[in-house]
Amino acid sequence: MVLALILGIPTLRLRADYLAIVTIAAAEILRLVFGTSFRTYFHGKDGVTGFTAGFRSLNPLPNYDGFFLTYSREELWTVIVGWGLVIMISLFTWALMRSPWGRVLRGIREDEDAMRSLGKNVYGYKIQALILGGVVGCAGGFVGAFGAASVQADTFNLDFTFIALTMLILGGAARILGPIVGAVMFWAILSFLGSVLTQLAGYPVVAHFMNADQASIIRLMLVGLVLMLLMIFRPQGIFGDRREIALDAH
């Protein structure tokens, strides 16, 4: 919340493209600062570990040998908590967007000048939305940290930023289910391509052009190609509406 407030006050008066540049730059600055400084608290590039004991002590699942649906007991607990938060945040957002506050925010998205003419504080609403998005992102960061049992600053690099953007575009902007479906589909496609390409690399004919180490890089190239085609032929994503993604040309 504090970071969103500090970042939003000087930047939310910028146009959408400049706002994106500033926020991405801020993320990179924070990654480099925490990755190289404050080693006493954040341990630089080694990151922070050993903080999951309290979370795992709340696990109500019974002990079982091996795996359940490929998940260990700790992993399954993280999955349950993660999807529980997804459902709760989605329902909260659904209710919020149907409130007077949400209707004003939708009007700002469609025409800022019209909302200003109605006496709405567009700047204030944008800051509130940015703070709300920061809280949601923070919840996702908690789940990711507990699942991995470690946090490193370099995890949140530019690749991570554009992966999140790809998920949003794939599912469709301005839709509650868009990021959820986009994330599921993205990781399914990425995992499928990784498995297929790794197996293909074992064939002698394919081995001349690609080895197993290059398979992970090539799958990202293919995902990038899919993203380009998606932006060309269906920029609104799966659930999005093309009329709602028109860029502000003012």
Side-chain angles (χ1 to χ4, degrees):
M1 292 176 63
V2 173
L3 176 60
L5 186 63
I6 294 174
L7 185 63
I9 289 175
T11 62
L12 283 177
R13 300 186 188 277
L14 300 173
R15 265 175 37 184
D17 46 357
Y18 294 108
L19 177 61
I21 293 172
V22 171
T23 51
I24 291 174
E28 276 297 284
I29 291 172
L30 289 175
R31 181 181 71 84
L32 294 173
V33 168
F34 286 105
T36 57
S37 305
F38 305 105
R39 292 184 178 273
T40 303
Y41 302 100
F42 302 106
H43 307 289
K45 294 185 179 297
D46 295 332
V48 181
T49 58
F51 53 83
T52 59
F55 174 74
R56 292 181 176 179
S57 66
L58 299 174
N59 190 347
L61 299 175
N63 291 315
Y64 57 85
D65 296 329
F67 293 85
F68 176 74
L69 296 177
T70 72
Y71 295 114
S72 67
R73 179 174 178 269
E74 290 76 16
E75 291 172 342
L76 186 58
W77 171 234
T78 306
V79 170
I80 292 173
V81 172
W83 276 107
L85 282 174
V86 169
I87 294 171
M88 291 172 56
I89 292 172
S90 298
L91 291 175
F92 174 74
T93 305
W94 177 83
L96 195 63
M97 294 311 297
R98 280 155 180 77
S99 68
W101 183 88
R103 289 193 290 270
V104 172
L105 202 65
R106 183 176 298 178
I108 292 173
R109 187 187 68 203
E110 294 176 357
D111 194 333
E112 291 186 13
D113 294 332
M115 298 310 295
R116 287 193 185 94
S117 67
L118 296 175
K120 302 299 181 182
N121 185 353
V122 173
Y123 180 66
Y125 275 94
K126 282 185 174 183
I127 289 181
Q128 294 169 25
L130 184 63
I131 291 174
L132 182 62
V135 173
V136 174
C138 185
F142 276 124
V143 175
F146 285 130
S150 65
V151 177
Q152 291 86 22
D154 284 343
T155 301
F156 305 96
N157 53 20
L158 281 177
D159 292 345
F160 186 88
T161 300
F162 289 110
I163 285 174
L165 179 62
T166 304
M167 293 174 180
L168 178 62
I169 295 174
L170 181 60
R175 291 294 184 271
I176 295 175
L177 289 178
I180 301 172
V181 176
V184 172
M185 290 188 62
F186 177 85
W187 284 114
I189 293 172
L190 199 65
S191 300
F192 174 76
L193 286 176
S195 177
V196 171
L197 291 175
T198 301
Q199 293 181 13
L200 288 176
Y203 291 94
V205 177
V206 181
H208 289 288
F209 307 96
M210 175 187 67
N211 56 41
D213 295 332
Q214 295 171 328
S216 60
I217 305 299
I218 293 177
R219 68 171 180 167
L220 292 177
M221 295 169 59
L222 293 176
V223 169
L225 178 61
V226 171
L227 178 61
M228 291 171 57
L229 295 176
L230 186 67
M231 291 297 296
I232 294 172
F233 297 106
R234 192 172 177 82
Q236 71 272 29
I238 298 173
F239 296 109
D241 189 341
R242 185 182 289 268
R243 294 173 298 179
E244 294 184 347
I245 62 169
L247 297 177
D248 185 4
H250 299 292

